[in-house]
Amino acid sequence: MTTTFGTLEPALSVRRVLALERVLAGEPEVVAGAGQLDRPVRWVHVAEAPDVGVMLTGGEMVLTTGVLLAGDEEKQAEYIRSLHRAEAAAVVLGLGRAFPAAPEVMRRAAERCGLPMVVLHRPFPFAELTEEVQARLVRRKFAAVSLSESVRTALTGLITAGAPLQRLLDEVARHGACPVVVTNLAHRVLATAGERPAVDDVLRDWERIARQAWGHRPGPSGTGGGSEGDGWISAELGGRGEHWGRIVLCGYRGGTATGRLLADRAAEALVLHRMLGGTAAHSWEEQSAHSLLTDLAGGVVPARQLLPRARAAGLPVNRRTFVPLVVRGGEPAPVERVLRMLGLPGLVAEPADGATVVLLSLARDQDAPALVANLAARMRSEAGRTVVAAADPRTSWDEVPAGLREARHVADAVADSSAGLDPPCVVRLKDVHLRGLVRLLRDDPQVQSFAERELDGLLCPGGDDLLSVLRTYLATGRNKSRTAQLHHVSRPALYRRLEAIQSRLGVDLDDFEQAASVHIALLAHDAQQR
């Protein structure tokens, strides 16, 4: 069950106070500072003292009849100046015996200071206004505490239940009714949540938004530049004096105070989630790359729609050559380290099967094959026996999904080869030959039936050792010396095993066609088993 966070009643401003029924009964008229009516009202204070400013702490709406100011223009001007110095929200003057009309000196002083000044044309009991405003302020403060606890409880419950990061962000986005973005300190997008079209709109312009909002060059209000007034509310991620990211509510419409609260509670939850994940958990950067590469390779979402995510993740995409790779035998950390060493921009992710998927983004004038060969050689020197399966370079982003699938296909075909053989550093589609074709057809029922029929004599219990010898013998081109060496047996012992294999299968392995038939069946069997 999902908890609804709800929303706080909008913050009280001078404009909202003037719109209250009880205030409207006094026929309020704004005579100065009309452009400042959205100032927040923190409290309502009734004061007649000329030096009232020394009793204020800021944000008060001051109510007065001006009875102690009548007849002294200097006192009237100083009264307004003291309110301005105390950062009062507004001054409300009840017209009557002291002032039958708005005093011009006070009005001019308020206009110069930018202090909203309101006069009430009808007698009005100030006690009613203070009672209503202060009751609203207290209710709002209580609602804020309640909202804070409900947000914290909901998100902590998800963490306790072992929910992934995306589930937490989905919850925040659902209740915030706006896109949510998590970034690192370089403002690269690590995760998003919300309605996909709205998220894509944000990511499409993310570079400009991040530069204006957090690059110390704020954009004008209304430009989508990230100001809180436009609903762009953020909270830092980190602790113990160290910050490592930011969560951003993009275009939140529920009020700034509510948005700040939601962002703060979400930030607390994300920090807790990361702490509980420990060092064994994949980094958010890797999860982000994994998600993007999976979506690209899957083809369910058109590549063009994923372009904003790639750009926001920091991958160069304009006029580039893209090279999809799959690295087997190494770890993601060495791959990322080698990429940094060579100065090659790209995304790196490790799927569940242990292979590392890489999408390089190269300048058009760079030699892609040479750079891939250099990367593969460095990987082999860093991580031992690694193989880089490379797809042909793509100059169009729309062709990247097919390239990722091609690289995966090549990597799987290489993995099916005999463990005793030493493949080259870089393997491409043209290098996998028949093995690649068999992998493409491995799920065909007729191919499965063919493999079982050809290998029936070795698929029974006790045939595993002979099947392994057969695999090596055929993979080495029927080289008996090499096969004996790889299996650590004498030549006579190997001959006896080959005779047993031929007897069980009813074939002559010296006959090319029969050996080829068995070889194809073995390739299909291995592909099906993998």
Side-chain angles (χ1 to χ4, degrees):
M1 174 184 280
T2 303
T3 303
T4 301
F5 292 162
T7 58
L8 288 176
E9 180 182 331
L12 275 178
S13 62
V14 176
R15 190 187 307 278
R16 287 183 59 79
V17 170
L18 297 181
L20 296 175
E21 268 189 56
R22 293 184 179 184
V23 179
L24 290 175
E27 298 181 8
E29 178 189 359
V30 179
V31 296
Q36 301 294 322
L37 295 183
D38 291 319
R39 286 183 173 183
V41 175
R42 188 184 59 80
W43 204 246
V44 176
H45 194 67
V46 180
E48 299 292 352
D51 58 348
V52 63
V54 300
M55 297 182 282
L56 306 180
T57 58
E60 295 91 348
M61 175 179 276
V62 176
L63 311 180
T64 182
T65 61
V67 65
L68 299 182
L69 303 174
D72 191 332
E73 292 188 348
E74 179 54 35
K75 279 188 177 180
Q76 294 169 21
E78 177 57 27
Y79 183 83
I80 296 297
R81 289 194 292 267
S82 70
L83 293 180
H84 171 64
R85 289 194 297 270
E87 298 182 349
V91 59
V92 178
L93 175 66
L95 301 181
R97 285 182 299 173
F99 293 103
E104 188 62 20
V105 172
M106 293 179 70
R107 190 197 67 76
R108 286 199 304 268
E111 193 65 52
R112 283 196 300 270
C113 294
L115 176 70
M117 179 176 174
V118 181
V119 296
L120 299 175
H121 289 279
R122 295 177 63 85
F124 181 83
F126 286 165
E128 290 186 8
L129 177 58
T130 57
E131 178 184 351
E132 177 161 351
V133 170
Q134 289 164 3
R136 286 174 178 263
L137 291 171
V138 170
R139 284 201 306 271
R140 193 173 186 280
K141 185 166 291 189
F142 177 78
V145 173
S146 176
L147 173 58
S148 176
E149 287 306 308
S150 67
V151 171
R152 182 181 284 112
T153 300
L155 295 181
T156 302
L158 288 173
I159 295 173
T160 304
L165 169 67
Q166 190 61 51
R167 180 70 182 86
L168 269 67
L169 295 180
D170 288 342
E171 190 78 352
V172 175
R174 189 175 79 82
H175 294 292
C178 68
V180 174
V181 174
V182 175
T183 76
N184 62 12
L185 292 180
H187 312 309
R188 291 187 176 180
V189 175
L190 306 180
T192 62
E195 294 292 333
R196 196 73 253 167
V199 171
D200 288 344
D201 285 344
V202 170
L203 296 185
R204 193 170 292 113
D205 207 20
W206 181 254
E207 185 177 344
R208 181 182 66 83
I209 290 170
R211 185 173 61 251
Q212 290 182 348
W214 303 292
H216 308 293
R217 287 183 292 174
S221 178
T223 64
S227 68
E228 285 196 347
D230 296 326
W232 291 78
I233 301 172
S234 69
E236 290 186 330
L237 303 174
R240 299 177 181 176
E242 182 182 359
H243 300 289
W244 37 262
R246 185 187 301 269
I247 182 170
V248 188
L249 307 184
C250 307
Y252 180 75
R253 298 303 175 198
T256 300
T258 317
R260 284 182 191 151
L261 186 150
L262 180 56
D264 288 343
R265 295 296 83 81
E268 291 174 3
L270 296 191
V271 171
L272 178 61
H273 182 275
R274 182 156 175 160
M275 288 173 57
L276 293 178
T279 56
H282 292 309
S283 69
W284 289 357
E285 289 86 350
E286 187 178 332
Q287 290 182 37
S288 174
H290 183 194
S291 173
L292 176 58
L293 293 177
T294 299
D295 288 347
L296 271 171
V300 177
V301 181
R304 185 60 49 181
Q305 293 183 21
L306 298 173
L307 192 57
R309 285 174 60 188
R311 185 182 288 112
L315 186 74
V317 295
N318 294 330
R319 297 186 59 78
R320 307 291 288 186
T321 296
F322 303 101
V323 185
L325 310 171
V326 174
V327 181
R328 284 195 177 277
E331 297 295 330
V335 175
E336 293 173 353
R337 186 166 60 249
V338 170
L339 287 181
R340 287 194 299 270
M341 186 188 308
L342 298 177
L344 299 177
L347 297 177
V348 180
E350 183 185 20
D353 65 354
T356 303
V357 180
V358 182
L359 178 60
L360 296 181
S361 175
L362 307 177
R364 291 281 175 89
D365 59 353
Q366 289 181 291
D367 187 342
L371 289 173
V372 171
N374 192 16
L375 168 66
R378 289 292 185 95
M379 279 300 304
R380 185 160 285 194
S381 66
E382 288 249 347
R385 189 176 181 275
T386 58
V387 176
V388 175
D392 291 334
R394 264 65 177 178
T395 56
S396 169
W397 177 257
D398 291 332
E399 297 173 356
V400 169
L404 287 168
R405 291 191 290 271
E406 179 183 314
R408 166 63 70 180
H409 167 64
V410 173
D412 289 343
V414 172
D416 286 343
S417 65
S418 173
L421 301 180
D422 191 18
C425 286
V426 181
V427 183
R428 292 184 168 80
L429 187 61
K430 64 183 180 61
D431 301 320
V432 296
H433 306 295
L434 179 62
R435 191 180 303 278
L437 175 62
V438 170
R439 275 202 60 82
L440 292 176
L441 301 175
R442 68 187 185 276
D443 293 327
D444 188 303
Q446 295 185 48
V447 173
Q448 294 175 0
S449 179
F450 166 76
E452 292 173 2
R453 184 171 63 250
E454 289 288 300
L455 301 175
D456 182 59
L458 298 181
L459 297 180
C460 56
D464 290 346
D465 182 57
L466 295 178
L467 199 63
S468 176
V469 171
L470 175 64
R471 184 179 294 110
T472 305
Y473 179 62
L474 295 174
T476 58
R478 295 183 292 174
N479 186 320
K480 295 175 183 176
S481 297
R482 180 65 173 152
T483 302
Q485 181 184 13
L486 291 173
H487 282 270
H488 308 288
V489 297
S490 65
R491 289 285 291 267
L494 176 65
Y495 294 157
R496 289 193 295 271
R497 294 184 186 185
L498 292 176
E499 288 173 2
I501 291 171
Q502 294 181 103
S503 174
R504 287 198 181 196
L505 298 182
V507 298
D508 178 6
L509 293 179
D510 289 329
D511 180 86
F512 176 78
E513 184 175 342
Q514 294 183 53
S517 180
V518 172
H519 195 182
I520 293 172
L522 186 57
L523 291 177
H525 169 74
D526 288 345
Q528 292 159 12
Q529 294 303 307
R530 288 184 181 278

